[in-house]
Amino acid sequence: MHFLRRTRADAASQPRSRALLPTLGAGLALLLASGLPAAPVGPPPASLPERSESVTPGTDGHVYITNQLDNTVSVIDARTNKVAATVPVGTGPEGIAVAKDGRHAYIADNGSAEVSVLDTRTNKIVATVPVGKGPSGVDLSPDGRFLYIANGESNNVSVLDTRTNRVTASVPVGVSPVSVAISRDGATAYVANTGSDSVSVIDTQTHRATRVLPAGRTPVSVAVTPDGGSAYVANEEAASVSVIETRTGKITATVPVGDGCFDVALGPDGRTAYAAVLGPGKISVIDTRSHRVSATMSVGPPGTDPFNLAVTSSAVYVTEQGAGTLTVIDPKTHKVVATITVGNSPYGVAVSP
């Protein structure tokens, strides 16, 4: 997905460099480095949401952020919005998932082709597990038994048994898979294939890909509604979110959100979807009943680069690759309540119970 501000589209177009170059400071650099046409850069918004270092509303525990160019994970205390620890991991960490009991976090180390297992009580890495090439997106089964890893350079998904920290299956999927989401009942895994403009559907009982669903141009992220009826897919180059009916496999809606739609996440009740849009530095809020953008939240001017999202009932967490920050948004008021400096090129984000 990307070193040095690369976008997920890079996985589809060319091999990724292993050199960790100094981070470029602007959103234009992201687009140039990734090979995408630069979006028009207008003046910054007249007024940005007010930021403060106050306590986040709600009761979230800790927030974990992967920092691509530092090879670290930042641990944030969600009650104080302060960095509690910084943990060294493998090379080029991207996706991250936290177990429901909060005891372990799993980090996809893209550059070193492994998953780091973090003990959240000690903030130490207790295992490293070799997986496919270019691991990126990860997700856990609802019971926490299996971790699914999208390997963008191997065109497959590794299935890791979290009891033994061993890979028990490797599932061929489409070209350049970069994101994976497990249905709430645990029966199905959905994989966004950046290079083949599709979503692979994996039966988690047999660990076989059973269907291929259409998506927009360059799908980079997928999220599944709580009832399992719909999959929301962020299409980076199409600047949209596709809504796929999982039963029929048909696209039932396409929601325009803006240039560089890089991630999509659903609220806990499934009534709202959030899309991170790189170009204008905003989060688009989608009403999942009408399939329309109901609100837009700015996290900064162009170059902030909102990248990935984690959503709870009390907060929307956004990593900003260009700014090197984590922004915390109140989902009820859509106001920014904190902006926290983390590591260099923050990428993935996950929240513990």
Side-chain angles (χ1 to χ4, degrees), residues 2-6 23 65-70 93 307 319-325 342-348:
H2 86 267
F3 279 122
L4 185 59
R5 297 242 200 294
R6 73 175 178 273
T23 302
I65 298 96
T66 58
N67 302 305
Q68 262 191 327
L69 298 182
D70 284 348
F307 226 58
T319 57
E320 287 124 14
Q321 195 180 54
T325 52
V342 289
N344 192 355
S345 191
Y347 195 104

Side-chain angles (χ1 to χ4, degrees), residues 273-314:
Y274 300 86
V277 186
L278 282 168
K282 69 179 183 179
I283 307 301
S284 291
V285 184
I286 301 169
D287 184 323
T288 59
R289 290 162 290 190
S290 67
H291 296 146
R292 294 179 181 275
V293 173
S294 59
T296 300
M297 304 180 292
S298 175
V299 293
T304 301
D305 297 349
F307 226 58
N308 280 319
L309 300 155
V311 183
T312 71
S313 59
S314 60

Side-chain angles (χ1 to χ4, degrees), residues 70-187:
D70 284 348
N71 302 329
T72 62
V73 168
S74 295
V75 183
I76 309 296
D77 186 328
R79 288 158 294 206
T80 63
N81 290 328
K82 302 292 185 185
V83 177
T86 302
V87 184
V89 293
T91 305
E94 293 192 359
I96 183 168
V98 181
K100 280 191 173 180
D101 62 9
R103 293 180 62 176
H104 293 95
Y106 299 87
I107 300 104
D109 299 320
N110 183 279
S112 46
E114 64 190 13
V115 167
S116 294
V117 183
L118 172 68
D119 185 324
T120 59
R121 294 164 295 183
T122 63
N123 285 328
K124 294 184 182 298
I125 299 301
V126 294
T128 53
V129 185
V131 292
K133 293 180 180 179
S136 190
V138 296
D139 200 10
L140 281 160
S141 59
D143 61 4
R145 171 76 186 277
F146 294 106
L147 179 77
Y148 293 77
I149 306 107
N151 301 308
E153 295 174 29
S154 296
N155 298 334
N156 62 22
V157 170
S158 297
V159 183
L160 186 153
D161 187 327
T162 60
R163 297 184 303 181
T164 62
N165 285 331
R166 294 179 181 274
V167 172
T168 60
S170 179
V171 186
V173 290
V175 179
S176 298
V178 293
S179 177
V180 58
I182 313 300
S183 61
R184 186 169 286 188
D185 64 6

